[in-house]
Amino acid sequence: MTPSRPSRAAGWRHRVGPLVGAAALAGALALLGPQVGDGVTSVARFLAAVGLVLAVSHLLGLLFARLGQPPVVGEIAGGLLVGPSALGAAWPDGQRALFTPEVTDGLAMAAQLGVVTFMFLLGAELRLERVAGSERVVGLVVAGSIAVPFATGALMAWLWRDAFLPAGEPLPPYVLFFGIALSITALPVLARILLDSGTRTTGIGTVAIACAAIGDAVAWSALAVVLTLTDGGGAGAVPAKAATAVALVVATALCARPALAALDRLLRDRPKPEAVMLPVLVVGAVTWSALSEVVGLHPVIGAFLFGLAVPRDSALITAVGEQLQGFAVSVLLPLFFAGIGLKTAFGLFGGDVGMWWALLVLLLTATASKVVGAAGGALAAGWSAGDALTLGALMNCRGVTELVVVSIGLQHGLINEAAFTILVLVALLTTAATGPLVRGRVPKPHEVPV
């Protein structure tokens, strides 16, 4: 029996009904908000804010995916929309009523957990063994893709020190931080772009992933030194902080790594091993983050370090990582993007032509220095100009990783809100440009010398 087709009226209800319901709910909240605002509990506000952030971020993620962009670009844009620059400009009373200081603090705590999980997964995905056979090109590309953007970023920071350096803060850590911020390549977003294009396992894709991983490890190490100079009382504190950091690395290598490997072997043939490994990894990542904070480093550095300790090529670790990634990417990272959006104020620009000029110059400088540095290294290794430029465009992807870095810079007083806003936009725009720049240009595996 052939199922009957839904009537035209029923089809209309299915299409328009949800819109009418959503509009009615939004209208009721808008009308009731002024009367009941003072009676709404902080829990209700927090949950409403989380719901709004997740809805906006994922809707824009879907939209950007339809436009050929990584969903994370839309999710970052969604975080900016709920901040003062968009929602606050369109409906300032509603934005302030929902995102109260108490709610913002709660979102910041949840976002911190998201960043810790993200950095742990980033460390767990680092595969240095993939560099085997291409050490020369990877070394040259890493050197170029870090040195050129770092030098350029440091120069730009010095030139705009009056506009971007917080009052009373020392100049050297600020200049160093700016150079690091422009040197970042977002490994997870880059991997997603290559995966979506079916080129992650090609020669150029493998080299790009390896270079991004090693480059980011170098950048995080340099950032740890800068944070020590900033928060630890100057250069005299560096040896002590370095000693504690080395001790944490040694403890990770000699204790955490073999313990995790032994647990992986023990659980391999047990039923439901994820039920044990998942909490172990979460507790370990959070504990290492806390230890990192205690010794004077940022928590994300400890999470990244613990991620490096997990066994490679383990089916159990891979399965648990996918579970963690699903929750972190779907729930926690959008809250981090919202935290970025709440701190980003395009209103600081206003009619100040100098700020818009600074944004344009920094965007062009960040892109050119990254592409030239990475492509120059590939050319020196014997690649063709076309392949080298494609690799340079891939390395220009900054994504979530740079957002984490610039948020740390703002938190520690290394940059002011104007510099923070510009660097957030640079991260968003360079990430959005990566896909279109390399689409259709990544060659087959045998066409790239490694």
Side-chain angles (χ1 to χ4, degrees):
M1 182 176 178
T2 305
S4 59
R5 290 175 129 187
S7 65
R8 184 171 299 177
W12 182 87
R13 284 197 301 272
H14 286 309
R15 289 192 298 270
V16 181
L19 296 178
V20 174
L25 179 60
L29 290 175
L31 291 173
L32 292 175
Q35 285 77 29
V36 302
D38 295 335
V40 176
T41 66
S42 58
V43 173
R45 290 181 191 273
F46 175 77
L47 294 176
V50 170
L52 176 64
V53 168
L54 296 181
V56 172
S57 294
H58 287 294
L59 284 174
L60 283 182
L62 292 172
L63 174 61
F64 274 67
R66 294 290 298 271
L67 298 175
Q69 289 285 347
V72 69
V73 176
E75 292 165 6
I76 295 172
L80 297 178
L81 283 182
V82 301
S85 300
L87 180 60
W91 189 21
D93 292 338
Q95 204 269 347
R96 284 194 297 268
L98 183 58
F99 293 97
T100 61
E102 188 175 19
V103 169
T104 302
D105 290 342
L107 289 174
M109 290 296 101
Q112 186 67 39
L113 182 58
V115 173
V116 165
T117 307
F118 168 77
M119 290 303 299
F120 162 73
L121 294 171
L122 186 62
E125 290 183 0
L126 184 61
R127 297 289 190 273
L128 294 180
E129 66 272 11
R130 294 174 182 171
V131 181
S134 54
E135 290 87 352
R136 182 169 179 268
V137 63
V138 169
L140 289 171
V141 171
V142 168
S145 65
I146 291 179
V148 178
F150 180 87
T152 306
L155 175 61
M156 293 296 102
W158 185 81
L159 291 175
W160 271 302
R161 59 191 181 280
D162 293 336
F164 295 156
L165 176 64
E169 295 296 329
L171 182 63
Y174 153 78
V175 171
L176 293 173
F177 172 81
F178 231 92
I180 294 170
L182 262 63
S183 304
I184 291 294
T185 298
L187 174 60
V189 182
L190 174 61
R192 179 61 184 269
I193 291 173
L194 291 169
L195 183 64
D196 290 343
S197 63
T199 54
R200 184 171 181 175
T201 58
T202 63
I204 198 170
T206 302
V207 170
I209 292 293
C211 292
I214 296 173
D216 282 356
V218 172
W220 283 112
S221 301
L223 181 61
V225 174
V226 172
L227 294 179
T228 299
L229 291 171
T230 304
D231 301 332
V238 172
K241 292 292 181 66
T244 55
V246 169
L248 186 59
V249 171
V250 171
T252 305
L254 299 182
C255 300
R257 188 176 182 87
L260 289 173
L263 181 62
D264 179 60
R265 291 191 299 269
L266 178 65
L267 296 175
R268 194 168 296 170
D269 299 324
R270 300 290 182 90
K272 297 183 179 179
E274 297 90 349
V276 176
M277 184 61 79
L278 179 60
V280 167
L281 293 183
V282 172
V283 170
V286 172
T287 302
W288 251 248
S289 298
L291 289 173
S292 181
E293 174 78 7
V294 167
V295 301
L297 303 174
H298 197 275
V300 300
I301 296 175
F304 180 77
L305 182 61
F306 187 76
L308 294 176
V310 302
R312 267 51 180 171
D313 300 323
S314 166
L316 174 58
I317 295 293
T318 300
V320 171
E322 290 175 352
Q323 293 179 20
L324 280 175
Q325 185 173 14
F327 181 73
V329 170
S330 300
V331 178
L332 296 178
L333 276 185
L335 301 183
F336 169 70
F337 299 147
I340 294 290
L342 291 171
K343 299 172 188 173
T344 304
F346 299 142
L348 293 172
F349 290 15
D352 189 346
V353 177
M355 284 296 176
W356 292 104
W357 174 248
L359 170 61
L360 178 61
V361 171
L362 274 174
L363 177 62
L364 295 176
T365 299
T367 301
S369 61
K370 197 70 168 177
V371 173
V372 169
L379 286 171
W383 283 26
S384 68
D387 294 339
L389 288 174
T390 300
L391 180 62
L394 287 169
M395 296 296 292
N396 190 45
C397 176
R398 288 175 171 84
V400 185
T401 311
E402 180 161 353
L403 293 182
V404 175
V405 171
V406 298
S407 66
I408 292 173
L410 182 65
Q411 175 187 347
H412 287 263
L414 293 166
I415 53 175
N416 61 18
E417 291 185 351
F420 174 81
T421 299
I422 288 177
L423 289 174
V424 166
L425 290 174
V426 168
L428 179 63
L429 294 173
T430 54
T431 304
T434 302
L437 285 176
V438 303
R439 190 167 292 127
R441 292 182 52 85
V442 180
K444 305 252 183 333
H446 63 274
E447 295 176 337
V448 178
V450 292

